[in-house]
Amino acid sequence: MASLAPWREASYTLAIWRRHFLVWQRTIYSTLALQVVNPILFLFAYGLGLGAVIQTLDGLDYLTFVLPGMMAYSALFTASFEASVGAYSRYAYQKTWDAMLATPVSLLEVLLGEALWAAFKAMLSVLGVLLVGAIWGGIASVGGAVLAVLALGLASLSFAAVGLACTAHAKSWEFFNYYFTFWVTPNFMFSGVFFPVDRLPDPIEWLSWLLPMTHLIQLVRPLTAGQPLALGPALLHVVFLAVIAVGAFLLAERRLRARMFD
Amino acid sequence: MAATPIIEAKGLAKSYGAVQAVRGIDFAVRPGQCFALLGPNGAGKTTTMRMIMGLTKISAGSLTLFGKPVAQIGRAERARIGLVPQEDNLDPDLSVRQNLEVYGRYFKLPKSVIRERIPALVDFMQLTEKIDQGVMQLSGGMKRRLILARAMIAEPELIILDEPTTGLDPQARVLIWKQLLELKRAGRTLLLTTHYMDEAQRLSDWIVIIDQGRILAEGTPGELIAQHVKGHVFEVAKPLPGVLANGRFEHEDIGDSVLFYVEQPGELRRELPAETSYLHRPANLEDVFLRLTGRKLREN
Ligand SMILES: Nc1ncnc2c1ncn2[C@@H]1O[C@H](COP(=O)(O)OP(=O)(O)OP(=O)(O)O)[C@@H](O)[C@H]1O
Ligand SMILES: [Mg+2]
């Protein structure tokens, strides 16, 4: 039997991650355009456009308000896309997972590799937005920004896990229309990216608390804006994101195990 | 003499919902053997191989690999198997070399070992000139050879080949036969499926013919031919001369003509009236296959 030392076993997950990284390297420019330039364009459009109309929101100038939202958006979009459409094409079309599973790599490791990869890619775009936003003067607290990046990393894992759970249930590409319409878009629209969720009608505000994105923004905004963040609620947000990550991941693994091996 | 089989199936069965793909088969693959699993489309060959690889759970019966039930197979055993799948699952965005590197890492081979093996493997499959080309630039036959090279990266004891030469030109098939025989000489065990009967006849020590998930016959190529189609085939055009119409010889009606199977060509030739038009040839595995599995096309 192989050694059970975790760092030795982790090399299998790392091998999967490295495969994705290598493929990405070969197409680096087009993916960079999508992942970094796209959210930055958003930032400019909303920052300049809305920023000209809205001077301050919740006591913050609009750039400071919208920058954390844009970072969260790029994490949401990149991780969700990679773990759904990206992973599904590897699974169902390129049969990349089949190739991996014919080796000592396990399904759990294939999925962990996918989740880590999607989160990694998401963080690249987050850092791109952060960099531009910081240069532009949207970051009030450097320490807060570091913590915000950690929160975004955790959230990226949650978004990736939900994407994988969706991939695990998808029968065709059409399935992802539901995923984007009923999951990704609401996370984007009703989570406080452009305006605080308490401006929403009450029932919708309550529903918005079911979205991981809402919790993410509640964490990230005070951090980058240098506002106080109460420890209790912050922990609740972190736990919420972690529960989604683990729950969705396990759901994906269970569904795929049945689907692929039965 | 029987060494512990590398693979042993007893009453092995697999159902996908209502579809019974494999319906209780028994076989044993011995170390160093080239074992061929033959059968028409949909016979259950790929399903059987997937069960062996642990890529599909078994529904009934037992299946052991290296003496262990498949359900208990872990990384250590999986590292001893190389799979050439029926479907191409190379990484289309990577080069030949990168495909091999990436695959080697799935086996946790050290970088130095991977670096050392790649030139030998691409040479083995005559892909050296293509080593830095993208997989999308390879022809179908080159991809197939790359899949074979990839399966060899961890120097597996057991190599499972699901139609390794489908879509290859005659030159490439001859190359692959030569390399497979070399692997066999080096003591590797081969489990092969193919729709080319000449290939099975040439490479295999033991053949199992399955259809609709059941075993129809098994034996060495020679035994199968002797048992099911004697040694010689006479294809006689209709209408048959009266002397042959009496059922004295083993025969099979194939439409416009009738095939007669005899041990000695003289037995039948001396009976034939001079004007009969016929074709005589030694019987081969294809005759066995068609005789056992029928001549109708498999649509489902
Ligand atoms: N994942 C699956 N779900 C449902 N049915 C399946 C699945 N895979 C195979 N089958 C069915 O199981 C039967 C055996 O298929 P299998 O792929 O094992 O055949 P095969 O002998 O490899 O055929 P071929 O020579 O065409 O490759 C077929 O009837 C096929 O339709
Ligand atoms: Mg098959």
Side-chain angles (χ1 to χ4, degrees), chain A residues 1-3 8-9 11-12 15-16 18-19 22-23 26-27 93-96 98-106 109 257-258 260-262, chain B residues 14 16 50 53-57 68 74-76 78-79 81 83 87-95 98 102-103 105-108 134 150:
Chain A
M1 279 309 288
S3 157
R8 299 192 70 171
E9 296 300 287
S11 66
Y12 291 101
I16 304 297
R18 288 183 68 183
R19 180 263 167 212
L22 193 62
V23 171
R26 283 182 65 113
T27 55
Y93 287 84
Q94 298 184 9
K95 307 279 174 190
T96 314
D98 277 354
M100 292 166 173
L101 293 172
T103 71
V105 172
S106 68
E109 286 156 349
R257 187 166 289 283
M260 298 184 83
F261 300 143
D262 278 355
Chain B
K14 174 71 193 182
Y16 297 105
R50 289 181 63 85
M53 289 299 303
L55 295 173
T56 290
K57 277 191 213 139
K68 254 191 185 180
R75 284 198 211 283
R78 297 170 64 78
I81 315 173
L83 176 70
E87 272 184 276
D88 165 19
N89 57 21
L90 292 166
D91 257 318
D93 303 310
L94 300 180
S95 70
Q98 288 171 325
V102 161
Y103 219 67
R105 287 201 286 262
Y106 297 158
F107 287 85
K108 211 166 80 174
R150 188 183 69 173

Side-chain angles (χ1 to χ4, degrees), chain A residues 259 262, chain B residues 16-17 19-22 39-48 50 86 162-163 193 195 210 300:
Chain A
R259 202 171 156 186
D262 278 355
Chain B
Y16 297 105
V19 180
Q20 289 182 288
V22 176
N41 290 147
K45 305 179 296 294
T46 299
T47 302
T48 303
R50 289 181 63 85
Q86 181 173 1
D162 198 347
E163 302 189 22
T193 72
H195 290 299
I210 62 171
N300 45 34

Side-chain angles (χ1 to χ4, degrees), chain A residues 3-35:
Chain A
S3 157
L4 291 176
W7 65 269
R8 299 192 70 171
E9 296 300 287
S11 66
Y12 291 101
T13 305
L14 185 66
I16 304 297
W17 184 90
R18 288 183 68 183
R19 180 263 167 212
H20 299 319
F21 184 74
L22 193 62
V23 171
W24 177 76
Q25 266 186 320
R26 283 182 65 113
T27 55
I28 191 161
Y29 298 108
S30 66
T31 48
L32 271 182
L34 184 70
Q35 288 158 41

